[in-house]
PDB file of all heavy atoms in Angstrom:
ATOM      1  N   ASP A 111     -37.761 -18.144  27.928  1.00  0.00           N
ATOM      2  CA  ASP A 111     -37.938 -16.904  28.623  1.00  0.00           C
ATOM      3  C   ASP A 111     -36.743 -16.771  29.677  1.00  0.00           C
ATOM      4  O   ASP A 111     -36.230 -15.698  29.897  1.00  0.00           O
ATOM      5  CB  ASP A 111     -39.223 -16.806  29.421  1.00  0.00           C
ATOM      6  CG  ASP A 111     -40.441 -16.937  28.537  1.00  0.00           C
ATOM      7  OD1 ASP A 111     -40.372 -16.356  27.404  1.00  0.00           O
ATOM      8  OD2 ASP A 111     -41.463 -17.598  28.882  1.00  0.00           O
ATOM      9  N   ARG A 114     -33.442 -15.771  28.526  1.00  0.00           N
ATOM     10  CA  ARG A 114     -33.502 -14.333  28.017  1.00  0.00           C
ATOM     11  C   ARG A 114     -33.556 -13.343  29.132  1.00  0.00           C
ATOM     12  O   ARG A 114     -32.993 -12.245  29.108  1.00  0.00           O
ATOM     13  CB  ARG A 114     -34.743 -14.173  27.056  1.00  0.00           C
ATOM     14  CG  ARG A 114     -34.800 -12.882  26.422  1.00  0.00           C
ATOM     15  CD  ARG A 114     -35.982 -12.932  25.362  1.00  0.00           C
ATOM     16  NE  ARG A 114     -37.298 -13.226  25.930  1.00  0.00           N
ATOM     17  CZ  ARG A 114     -38.065 -12.469  26.608  1.00  0.00           C
ATOM     18  NH1 ARG A 114     -37.721 -11.218  26.814  1.00  0.00           N
ATOM     19  NH2 ARG A 114     -39.216 -12.935  27.123  1.00  0.00           N
ATOM     20  N   LEU A 131     -41.167 -50.832  37.486  1.00  0.00           N
ATOM     21  CA  LEU A 131     -40.742 -52.205  37.628  1.00  0.00           C
ATOM     22  C   LEU A 131     -40.693 -52.919  36.314  1.00  0.00           C
ATOM     23  O   LEU A 131     -39.884 -53.788  36.136  1.00  0.00           O
ATOM     24  CB  LEU A 131     -41.677 -52.974  38.602  1.00  0.00           C
ATOM     25  CG  LEU A 131     -41.562 -52.605  40.123  1.00  0.00           C
ATOM     26  CD1 LEU A 131     -42.689 -53.304  40.905  1.00  0.00           C
ATOM     27  CD2 LEU A 131     -40.186 -53.053  40.602  1.00  0.00           C
ATOM     28  N   SER A 207     -57.673 -46.137  60.741  1.00  0.00           N
ATOM     29  CA  SER A 207     -58.931 -46.947  60.810  1.00  0.00           C
ATOM     30  C   SER A 207     -58.840 -48.162  59.834  1.00  0.00           C
ATOM     31  O   SER A 207     -59.825 -48.895  59.668  1.00  0.00           O
ATOM     32  CB  SER A 207     -60.164 -46.038  60.470  1.00  0.00           C
ATOM     33  OG  SER A 207     -60.045 -45.643  59.132  1.00  0.00           O
ATOM     34  N   MET A 234     -38.264 -49.160  63.008  1.00  0.00           N
ATOM     35  CA  MET A 234     -39.298 -50.201  62.740  1.00  0.00           C
ATOM     36  C   MET A 234     -39.577 -51.093  63.997  1.00  0.00           C
ATOM     37  O   MET A 234     -40.567 -51.618  64.140  1.00  0.00           O
ATOM     38  CB  MET A 234     -38.852 -51.082  61.503  1.00  0.00           C
ATOM     39  CG  MET A 234     -38.693 -50.342  60.239  1.00  0.00           C
ATOM     40  SD  MET A 234     -40.129 -49.450  59.664  1.00  0.00           S
ATOM     41  CE  MET A 234     -41.177 -50.790  59.095  1.00  0.00           C
ATOM     42  N   PRO A 340     -38.956 -29.413  28.741  1.00  0.00           N
ATOM     43  CA  PRO A 340     -38.886 -28.998  27.363  1.00  0.00           C
ATOM     44  C   PRO A 340     -37.704 -28.029  27.114  1.00  0.00           C
ATOM     45  O   PRO A 340     -37.591 -27.097  27.844  1.00  0.00           O
ATOM     46  CB  PRO A 340     -40.233 -28.372  27.038  1.00  0.00           C
ATOM     47  CG  PRO A 340     -41.134 -28.789  28.091  1.00  0.00           C
ATOM     48  CD  PRO A 340     -40.288 -29.109  29.314  1.00  0.00           C
ATOM     49  N   CYS A 364     -27.602 -26.997  36.772  1.00  0.00           N
ATOM     50  CA  CYS A 364     -28.543 -27.791  37.551  1.00  0.00           C
ATOM     51  C   CYS A 364     -27.882 -28.226  38.812  1.00  0.00           C
ATOM     52  O   CYS A 364     -26.684 -28.258  38.960  1.00  0.00           O
ATOM     53  CB  CYS A 364     -29.112 -28.974  36.786  1.00  0.00           C
ATOM     54  SG  CYS A 364     -27.852 -30.196  36.240  1.00  0.00           S
ATOM     55  N   PRO A 372     -31.508 -39.590  42.298  1.00  0.00           N
ATOM     56  CA  PRO A 372     -32.164 -39.521  43.567  1.00  0.00           C
ATOM     57  C   PRO A 372     -31.362 -40.260  44.708  1.00  0.00           C
ATOM     58  O   PRO A 372     -31.798 -41.342  45.112  1.00  0.00           O
ATOM     59  CB  PRO A 372     -33.498 -40.148  43.331  1.00  0.00           C
ATOM     60  CG  PRO A 372     -33.240 -41.087  42.218  1.00  0.00           C
ATOM     61  CD  PRO A 372     -32.103 -40.532  41.414  1.00  0.00           C
ATOM     62  N   THR A 378     -26.703 -33.681  51.647  1.00  0.00           N
ATOM     63  CA  THR A 378     -25.837 -34.031  50.472  1.00  0.00           C
ATOM     64  C   THR A 378     -26.047 -32.903  49.406  1.00  0.00           C
ATOM     65  O   THR A 378     -25.104 -32.595  48.625  1.00  0.00           O
ATOM     66  CB  THR A 378     -26.249 -35.347  49.841  1.00  0.00           C
ATOM     67  OG1 THR A 378     -26.459 -36.259  50.808  1.00  0.00           O
ATOM     68  CG2 THR A 378     -25.303 -35.835  48.732  1.00  0.00           C
TER      69      THR A 378
END
Side-chain angles (χ1 to χ4, degrees):
D111 298 321
R114 185 172 57 79
L131 285 172
S207 66
M234 299 303 285
C364 60
T378 314

